[in-house]
Amino acid sequence: MDSSNLRFQVVEEAFKKRALDVETPKERPSEYFARYVFNRQKMYKYLSAEVYKKLIDVIDNGARLDRAIADDVAAGMKQWALDMGVTHYTHWFQPLTEGTAEKHDAFVEHDGKGGMIEKFSGKLLVQQEPDASSFPNGGIRNTFEARGYSAWDPTSPVFIIDDTLCIPTIFIAYTGEALDYKAPLLRALHAVDKAATEVCQYFYDDVKKVHVNLGWEQEYFLVDEGLYSARPDLMLTGRTLMGHESAKNQQMDDHYFGTIPDRVQAFMKDLEIQALELAIPCKTRHNEVAPNQFELAPIFEKCNLAVDHNMLLMSLMKRVARKHGFRVLLHEKPFAGINGSGKHNNWSLSTDTGVLLHAPGKTSSINETLRFATFIVETLMAVYKHNGLLKASIMSATNAHRLGGNEAPPSIISSFLGKYVSEMLDTIEQTSNLKSQTSNLSREIDIPQIPDLIVDNTDRNRTSPFAFTGNRFEFRAPGSSANCASAMIALNAAMAEALCSFKQRVDAKISEYSQRPEYAIGTGHTAKFHALVDVLREDIKTCKPVRFDGNGYSDEWVVEAAKRGLDVEKSCPVIYEHYLDESSVTMFEQTKVMNRKELEARNEVKWETYVKTVQIEARVLGDLAMNHIIPVATHYQSKLIKNVQGTKDVFPEEKALRLSARNMKLIEEIANRTEAIERLVEELTDARRVANRIEDIHQRAIAYHDTVCPHMEAIRNEADHLEMIVEDGLWTLPKYRELLFIR
C-alpha cells in the first residue's frame, strides 16, 4: 500500500537526520545573559536617575506606579528597543488557555507632514485593551461586552522576541475580575508577603519583606517532525491515542542520565543560548526516565518571574525544536506504558536574611528551631486544610493520565518530611524541653580518595506529591504543559491564610500569658515563647493526617488516606469542585486573591476545557479507527483469506486445514476486533451526543468523564491488539519503536 510505503520513507528520513551545527557565542554565558531583556543595567542606562530610582522602588518595595513617570520609562524602553532593531511592541499576558497571548503594534504614528515617526507613550506602555470576550472568561464577559484591559507588570522585565518588544502584563475584565493567571498570582504573592513578614517579626525584628521563590523542572519529549506529522493524533491532541508498547522502552533504566543524543544535544545547546539571552537562568539538562524524554531546570527565581520564564521557555522550546527537525511534546502522557512528564515546582520562602525553610544547624538557637518549625508546620496546615483544592489546581484532562501511574505522584495530596523533620515536630509536640536540632550529618565512605559526604536532613520519596527536600518543598504533581501559576496561586493563598491564622492565635495567647507572673521577662521562657510552642503543638496535631512517608502507590494508602480525611477522588471534573468549596471561597476572599465570581468563572472555563479536550480526542480516535485501523486490518484479512483459499487449491483438504489453521485464527480475531471497533465507535459517538445535550457544563464534563472516556480506552485496546497482528508493512501509523528512539 502507498500509505505504508510513506510510513517507511518517513522513518528512514528521520533516522538519516544529523545534528545541526549550532553557532556558539564567543562570549561567556554571563556576558550574553539578558541581552534581550530591559533589566536594571539597561534601565540605569536609558532612564534618568530619578525615574530609575522610582521604578526600582516599585519593583522592590511594591510602591504604586506613578503614571507621571510612565512616559519617561516608555521613552527609555523605546530607545533601547530601537537600538536593538525592534519595530513592534506587544502586551504579553497569560489568559486562561494555559498559553500566552500577544497583539503586535508598530512604533509608528503620522508625523503630520506626510511621513511617519516612531512613537511609544506611557499610556501605551501601562495599559491596552484586548477583546475580553474572545478569551476564556467563564461567562464574565458576553460576546457583546468585549472590553477588557491588559496592564503592565513592572516586576517582570520587558524582553525582545525577534522584532517585538514584549511587555508582561495582567489581564482583567472591564468590571475588574481577573481573566488571567498573573493577576491572582500577584495578589497571592502579596498576601504571603504580608502574612509571612508579620510572623517573621516573632523571630527577626529587621525583616521587612518575604519573597516566594520558585524553581520549576520542565520535563518534555522530543519526536522527529516527520514522524509527528504522520501521526494525526499527535498533531491534533498532543498524545498517541493508540499504539502498542515497544518491546524495549524504559525497563532497562538505561536512558535516565544517559548520554544525550547528538541531535538532542544540538537542540539543547541552541535552546539554552536563546533562553539565557532572555534571562532565563538555565542550569540543568539531562535525559529523563522514558526514551526521548528530557528535562531542563533553571536556578531559583522569585515566583512571578519564574512563572513568566517558564511560559516563555515553553514557547521558545517549540520554535527551536522545529529548527532542529523535532517537535516538543509537553502533553503529560504522550505515550502509554512509559513515564509521563511533569513540572516539579520547588517552592520556598525567603527574606533578605535567609531562607525561612532552611533547617537550623548544630549551633543554632531555640529561636532558629522555632522559626524553622513554624514555617514547616504552617505549610503543612495549608496543604492539609486545602489538599483537595491543591489537587484541583494541578488537575487537567491531560495530567489525569499521568498522576498515580506508578511513575508520578499519586492523585492524593500528602507531604513527606523525612526522619529529621518528623522527629523534630514530634519532639515539639511531646516535650517542653526543646533543644536546637542538628540539620546535617556526614557519612564516611571507606574509599581513601573520596571525601565524606554531607548527607541531607531528608531522604527523597518519589511517590510524595509534596515533599520537603532540604530547604524547600517540591510540589511534584503539576503537569508539564500547565501554567505553574495555577498551583502557585492555590498554594500561596493557602499559606497566607495559615500564617494569618497562626499569628492571630499566637497574639491571643501572648496577651493571655502576659498576665501570668511565671512568664514574665527574666523568669526563663517568655509569654511569646510559650504562645508560639503551644500554637505549634496544636497545629502539629491538626495537620498530622497529611504527613505520610510511605509508598504513595500502594492500594493500602488509598484506603488509609480516605480514613484520614484526605481527598481520594479521581474524576477530574469532580475534583474541580474544590474551587467552590466554602473553605476555598473563604480563603481566596479573605486573602483578596479571588472572589466568588472569579472562582465560579474559572471553574466554568475548566469544565469547558475538559469537555473540549476529550471531545477532540474522541473525534480524532474515531477517525483513526474507521479510516486507518479498520481499512488496514481488513486489507490484511483479505490477504490471509486469499492465502487460505490458495492453500486449499494446492494441498489435500486435511493438510490444507492444518496449514491454514493459524491464518484462520487470525482472520477470525481480526473480524471480531474490527467488529468491536465499529460498535465501540458508534457507542462513543452516541455517548458524545447524549453528553452534548446536557446544558450544565459541569454535568456535561462529568458525563464526558464517565461515559465517553471508557469507550476511548476500549477502542484503544482493540486497535493495539490489531497492531500486533497486522503485517508490519501494511500498518500506516509510525509505531512506538520508531517514535521513541532518536538516532
Side-chain angles (χ1 to χ4, degrees):
M1 295 176 68
D2 293 339
S3 57
S4 64
N5 291 335
L6 178 60
R7 169 190 156 216
F8 287 117
Q9 291 172 13
V10 169
V11 172
E12 185 178 3
E13 287 300 315
F15 287 163
K16 284 181 179 178
K17 289 182 178 177
R18 295 290 182 267
L20 294 176
D21 290 330
V22 178
E23 184 176 349
T24 303
K26 295 180 181 179
E27 313 103 308
R28 296 176 179 177
S30 59
E31 294 172 325
Y32 61 82
F33 181 77
R35 173 173 290 161
Y36 298 116
V37 178
F38 194 65
N39 59 7
R40 296 183 188 221
Q41 181 183 22
K42 277 97 171 186
M43 291 179 195
Y44 188 80
K45 178 179 179 181
Y46 284 90
L47 303 179
S48 68
E50 182 181 358
V51 171
Y52 173 81
K53 182 179 179 181
K54 289 182 178 180
L55 184 56
I56 294 302
D57 189 35
V58 172
I59 296 170
D60 287 348
N61 303 317
R64 184 168 294 276
L65 177 68
D66 182 358
R67 284 210 175 213
I69 70 168
D71 282 333
D72 292 330
V73 175
M77 282 185 184
K78 184 196 73 173
Q79 189 57 53
W80 170 68
L82 293 177
D83 290 347
M84 298 294 290
V86 168
T87 58
H88 289 67
Y89 65 92
T90 183
H91 274 202
W92 183 82
F93 57 98
Q94 300 167 29
L96 302 178
T97 59
E98 300 297 332
T100 58
E102 53 197 64
K103 174 177 70 74
H104 297 201
D105 289 297
F107 286 128
V108 293
E109 295 289 345
H110 289 293
D111 65 356
K113 303 175 184 178
M116 305 292 286
I117 59 172
E118 288 80 17
K119 187 175 182 180
F120 183 57
S121 67
K123 180 181 178 181
L124 295 176
L125 166 65
V126 171
Q127 179 178 315
Q128 285 195 350
E129 185 188 333
D131 187 341
S133 66
S134 297
F135 291 98
N137 60 68
I140 287 179
R141 299 268 78 192
N142 293 311
T143 302
F144 61 88
E145 296 174 318
R147 197 178 298 277
Y149 299 108
S150 56
W152 175 38
D153 170 19
T155 64
S156 185
V158 302
F159 55 92
I160 294 172
I161 296 289
D162 295 330
D163 64 351
T164 303
L165 181 71
C166 299
I167 305 163
T169 64
I170 65 170
F171 181 40
I172 61 172
Y174 176 73
T175 47
E177 296 87 2
L179 297 176
D180 68 344
Y181 284 105
K182 178 176 276 266
L185 175 64
L186 291 174
R187 295 172 190 161
L189 297 177
H190 175 71
V192 170
D193 172 22
K194 184 175 184 299
T197 299
E198 291 179 351
V199 172
C200 277
Q201 299 298 322
Y202 292 134
F203 312 104
Y204 315 108
D205 295 334
D206 57 341
V207 171
K208 304 300 181 184
K209 191 172 184 59
V210 172
H211 303 288
V212 178
N213 301 315
L214 173 63
W216 41 263
E217 303 169 24
Q218 180 69 59
E219 295 176 343
Y220 61 95
F221 280 84
L222 289 175
V223 295
D224 185 87
E225 188 166 26
L227 299 175
Y228 171 89
S229 299
R231 291 285 311 219
D233 48 357
L234 275 180
M235 292 178 64
L236 298 177
T237 73
R239 73 178 181 112
T240 53
L241 298 174
M242 57 182 64
H244 199 282
E245 289 186 38
S246 172
K248 180 185 183 299
N249 46 51
Q250 67 185 47
Q251 66 265 49
M252 299 299 292
D253 299 322
D254 55 346
H255 190 257
Y256 190 55
F257 281 20
T259 302
I260 300 172
D262 289 345
R263 284 183 63 198
V264 178
Q265 181 89 350
F267 157 77
M268 288 179 170
K269 181 179 178 181
D270 200 357
L271 174 64
E272 287 175 5
I273 291 170
Q274 295 189 42
L276 289 169
E277 289 177 331
L278 289 168
I280 304 173
C282 298
K283 176 75 172 178
T284 302
R285 65 187 184 201
H286 63 81
N287 288 4
E288 256 300 334
V289 174
N292 279 23
Q293 187 185 34
F294 308 94
E295 180 180 297
L296 181 151
I299 301 171
F300 277 62
E301 298 180 283
K302 292 180 182 178
C303 186
N304 179 43
L305 183 57
V307 169
D308 281 3
H309 279 167
N310 183 248
M311 297 303 293
L312 179 56
L313 179 88
M314 289 194 291
S315 175
L316 188 63
M317 290 172 75
K318 295 173 184 177
R319 297 175 59 196
V320 176
R322 296 195 68 172
K323 173 183 172 183
H324 290 262
F326 288 124
R327 286 299 185 112
V328 168
L329 302 182
L330 294 175
H331 193 289
E332 283 73 12
K333 192 73 171 178
F335 303 102
I338 60 174
N339 280 20
S341 296
K343 178 149 46 196
H344 303 175
N345 283 199
N346 293 278
W347 172 90
S348 68
L349 300 174
S350 66
T351 70
D352 295 337
T353 58
V355 179
L356 292 176
L357 298 177
H358 182 70
K362 293 181 179 180
T363 60
S364 298
S365 65
I366 293 295
N367 192 58
E368 283 287 287
T369 300
L370 284 178
R371 177 269 308 166
F372 175 67
T374 294
F375 284 94
I376 289 290
V377 171
E378 295 316 305
T379 303
L380 294 177
M381 285 291 289
V383 174
Y384 171 63
K385 184 175 180 181
H386 296 289
N387 74 94
L389 173 65
L390 288 175
K391 182 160 73 171
S393 76
I394 55 84
M395 186 54 67
S396 66
T398 53
N399 204 22
H401 294 289
R402 162 183 168 259
L403 293 177
N406 285 1
E407 54 170 274
S411 56
I412 301 172
I413 302 299
S414 65
S415 184
F416 167 82
L417 298 179
K419 181 180 178 181
Y420 162 74
V421 179
S422 293
E423 288 181 349
M424 182 195 71
L425 297 187
D426 291 342
T427 299
I428 294 174
E429 179 187 358
Q430 297 165 9
T431 180
S432 59
N433 184 24
L434 298 180
K435 297 179 180 179
S436 298
Q437 304 290 310
T438 301
S439 62
N440 289 319
L441 304 172
S442 64
R443 177 159 294 165
E444 296 182 1
I445 298 178
D446 193 20
I447 304 175
Q449 296 86 350
I450 305 298
D452 293 345
L453 297 180
I454 302 299
V455 180
D456 289 323
N457 53 45
T458 69
D459 198 352
R460 303 190 72 177
N461 186 327
R462 304 305 294 177
T463 73
S464 176
F466 197 83
F468 182 67
T469 56
N471 59 4
R472 63 192 182 276
F473 281 93
E474 183 180 14
F475 195 8
R476 302 182 62 244
S480 55
S481 66
N483 188 325
C484 295
S486 179
M488 291 296 100
I489 291 167
L491 176 59
N492 287 302
M495 186 64 179
E497 180 194 53
L499 290 170
C500 286
S501 172
F502 177 81
K503 186 175 190 305
Q504 289 169 1
R505 289 176 290 135
V506 169
D507 286 349
K509 286 188 179 294
I510 290 175
S511 178
E512 175 190 346
Y513 293 170
S514 295
Q515 308 303 317
R516 299 183 185 181
E518 64 268 29
Y519 295 152
I521 295 176
T523 60
H525 290 313
T526 62
K528 183 178 77 170
F529 172 84
H530 283 279
L532 286 167
V533 172
D534 286 353
V535 174
L536 270 178
R537 284 175 177 155
E538 293 173 6
D539 288 353
I540 289 170
K541 293 175 183 177
T542 300
C543 68
K544 189 169 287 188
V546 85
R547 290 164 52 185
F548 179 65
D549 293 355
N551 180 10
Y553 296 153
S554 68
D555 294 334
E556 293 79 9
W557 169 232
V558 178
V559 177
E560 172 64 21
K563 290 180 180 178
R564 296 186 183 191
L566 303 181
D567 187 272
V568 296
E569 178 62 56
K570 294 184 178 180
S571 169
C572 181
V574 174
I575 291 170
Y576 287 151
E577 295 173 8
H578 285 297
Y579 272 100
L580 300 178
D581 290 346
E582 282 306 311
S583 60
S584 299
V585 175
T586 299
M587 179 266 290
F588 279 121
E589 290 189 332
Q590 287 183 347
T591 56
K592 299 181 180 180
V593 173
M594 285 186 282
N595 58 38
R596 185 182 294 272
K597 185 177 181 180
E598 289 173 311
L599 292 168
E600 290 173 345
R602 282 163 192 268
N603 260 28
E604 290 286 311
V605 172
K606 288 177 181 294
W607 285 319
E608 186 173 1
T609 300
Y610 180 87
V611 167
K612 290 178 178 178
T613 300
V614 178
Q615 186 180 71
I616 291 170
E617 289 186 349
R619 288 175 173 173
V620 173
L621 180 60
D623 174 66
L624 285 177
M626 300 304 295
N627 296 311
H628 286 257
I629 306 306
I630 288 181
V632 169
T634 52
H635 179 72
Y636 181 55
Q637 185 185 48
S638 297
K639 292 181 68 174
L640 294 175
I641 291 172
K642 287 181 181 179
N643 179 270
V644 170
Q645 291 172 340
T647 302
K648 289 180 180 179
D649 293 340
V650 174
F651 296 102
E653 181 177 355
E654 183 178 346
K655 187 172 183 179
L657 288 173
R658 187 173 72 252
L659 292 175
S660 61
R662 176 181 177 277
N663 285 350
M664 287 296 296
K665 184 177 179 181
L666 290 176
I667 291 168
E668 183 177 3
E669 183 174 357
I670 291 172
N672 291 336
R673 294 195 182 280
T674 53
E675 181 183 24
I677 289 176
E678 289 179 335
R679 172 179 52 79
L680 289 166
V681 169
E682 185 175 348
E683 292 175 358
L684 174 67
T685 304
D686 290 341
R688 279 178 33 229
R689 287 172 179 160
V690 171
N692 289 338
R693 287 195 289 268
I694 301 174
E695 291 189 9
D696 183 82
I697 189 62
H698 180 196
Q699 295 304 316
R700 193 188 314 159
I702 291 174
Y704 260 84
H705 176 274
D706 294 348
T707 65
V708 175
C709 290
H711 284 98
M712 294 174 63
E713 288 301 313
I715 293 170
R716 176 173 193 147
N717 179 64
E718 299 294 342
D720 288 356
H721 276 89
L722 285 174
E723 181 183 326
M724 299 302 291
I725 295 173
V726 173
E727 178 187 335
D728 185 61
L730 299 179
W731 200 256
T732 58
L733 301 174
K735 297 184 176 182
Y736 274 23
R737 68 170 185 263
E738 297 155 352
L739 289 164
L740 286 171
F741 296 94
I742 295 171
R743 298 183 184 178

